[in-house]
Amino acid sequence: MTNVPLLIAGPTASGKSAYAMMRAREMPSVIVNADSMQVYRELRVVTARPSVEDETLVPHLLYGHVPAREAYSVGRYVSDVAEVLARAQAEGLRPVIVGGTGLYFLALLDGLSPVPPIPDKVRAHWRAEAERLGPVELHAVLAARDRMMAEKLRPSDPQRVTRALEVLEATGASLAVWQQTAGTPVLAADACEKVVILPERQAVFARADQRFDAMMEGGALEEVAALGALGLDPALPSMRALGVPQLLRLQRAEMAREAAIAEAKAETRRYIKRQLSWLKRNMISWDSIIL
């Protein structure tokens, strides 16, 4: 065994964290998060972050290190991981990078497109427009100005739609064009062990349902109520984490408990479908396993 970086990708509820713990205990290692929602400090339960016990047994980094009021970006993630990797190398630890956010892995292995900085005035304008128009109308604006990016993005992802409009206005070119420009990888793909977990669909659906029930018993509603009490912008990524919108509505008595849980589970299954499709399409060269 060597201390080359180990990358573990897979859909939610596929057993990634348990597998990462098993592999991390083979040799001195550090587990590094690659899940865009597990970075948020206030969302331990509802994002199924590793347990305190696991964090005691093996060092875990980039989990819960960002306040929910911030919109964490892939650019910041790449910068954070570069620091973690340098530290792990200096300490003789193998980095075990695990998560379900495919874009994070692509950014590490392919690098980020060199999009110029967006002026504060442009950023403020489009964020205000996003709040004024709402996600559907905002996506329509993007479709009228940049069909290429509009076809890539969903109206339900206002953060990325806003980003596309910011880049278009600030640079005069579509973000899709910028994305065709190669960046500088953080990791060399041929110097990593890469594993993708691809469970059978119905099996992972069942695990996700069971896990959500366990979250509810473990304080998910109370955690989301505390998040809601912060009065954050509902367009922030932390406010759109799986289960959060439904549990906020339940906490505000806008949904019955059974309906909120059913809707959250259904949204999670839709998300898993998208993850599985993306992983199968983009990680063909990775070693695949079923847990």
Side-chain angles (χ1 to χ4, degrees):
M1 290 181 288
T2 66
N3 65 347
V4 300
L6 168 60
L7 279 54
I8 304 169
T12 191
S14 60
K16 298 185 300 297
S17 294
Y19 181 72
M21 278 295 296
M22 180 189 73
R23 296 295 307 272
R25 299 182 76 177
E26 295 172 347
M27 61 185 298
S29 302
V30 57
I31 294 178
V32 183
N33 177 37
D35 183 294
S36 63
M37 290 297 114
Q38 290 184 339
V39 302
Y40 292 110
R41 186 175 304 147
E42 294 86 347
L43 297 180
R44 173 180 286 276
V45 178
V46 80
T47 63
R49 264 173 35 205
S51 67
V52 174
E53 292 76 15
D54 284 350
E55 291 176 340
T56 301
L57 291 170
V58 177
H60 284 64
L61 299 178
L62 304 186
Y63 290 90
H65 68 300
V66 179
R69 67 176 179 274
E70 295 183 9
Y72 193 65
S73 68
V74 64
R76 183 174 165 191
Y77 176 74
V78 167
S79 176
D80 287 347
V81 169
E83 292 182 13
V84 166
L85 292 176
R87 195 185 326 160
Q89 183 179 27
E91 296 175 3
L93 300 174
R94 175 180 61 171
V96 178
I97 305 174
V98 56
T101 301
L103 184 58
Y104 282 6
F105 289 109
L106 287 187
L108 294 178
L109 296 173
D110 297 340
L112 286 175
S113 304
V115 180
I118 306 299
D120 290 342
K121 184 177 180 180
V122 174
R123 193 182 302 276
H125 168 74
W126 284 111
R127 290 186 178 181
E129 284 294 276
E131 186 172 347
R132 183 180 71 85
L133 295 173
V136 175
E137 288 190 40
L138 186 73
H139 188 269
V141 171
L142 179 63
R145 300 186 180 196
D146 184 352
R147 174 176 285 187
M148 193 161 30
M149 277 309 299
E151 290 175 352
K152 290 186 172 187
L153 300 174
R154 297 168 177 266
S156 58
D157 193 353
Q159 184 185 5
R160 287 196 176 97
V161 173
T162 303
R163 169 67 173 167
L165 286 163
E166 291 172 355
V167 170
L168 181 64
E169 179 169 335
T171 69
S174 170
L175 180 57
V177 173
W178 286 106
Q179 289 172 342
Q180 293 170 5
T181 305
T184 302
V186 175
L187 293 169
D190 58 358
C192 298
E193 179 183 356
K194 304 183 292 295
V195 175
V196 58
I197 300 171
L198 296 173
E200 192 277 324
R201 182 180 289 188
Q202 293 304 319
V204 75
F205 285 173
R207 283 188 210 167
D209 285 351
Q210 293 166 5
R211 191 175 74 174
F212 195 83
D213 290 336
M215 288 176 182
M216 293 299 291
E217 294 178 5
L221 183 58
E222 292 78 9
E223 182 176 82
V224 171
L227 178 70
L230 298 177
L232 302 178
D233 183 345
L236 283 167
S238 59
M239 298 295 285
R240 295 183 288 111
L242 289 173
V244 167
Q246 293 82 11
L247 295 186
L248 282 173
R249 292 177 66 190
L250 169 59
Q251 193 269 333
R252 295 193 294 256
E254 296 172 1
M255 291 186 80
R257 183 182 179 89
E258 296 77 10
I261 291 173
E263 185 176 303
K265 288 180 177 180
E267 178 58 32
T268 300
R269 289 193 292 272
R270 289 190 289 269
Y271 181 65
I272 290 171
K273 286 181 184 178
R274 295 196 297 272
Q275 282 183 304
L276 284 170
S277 296
W278 193 95
L279 293 168
K280 290 175 181 177
R281 185 171 65 250
N282 290 278
M283 295 182 169
I284 298 173
S285 65
W286 291 39
D287 294 330
S288 63
I289 62 173
I290 299 175
L291 298 181

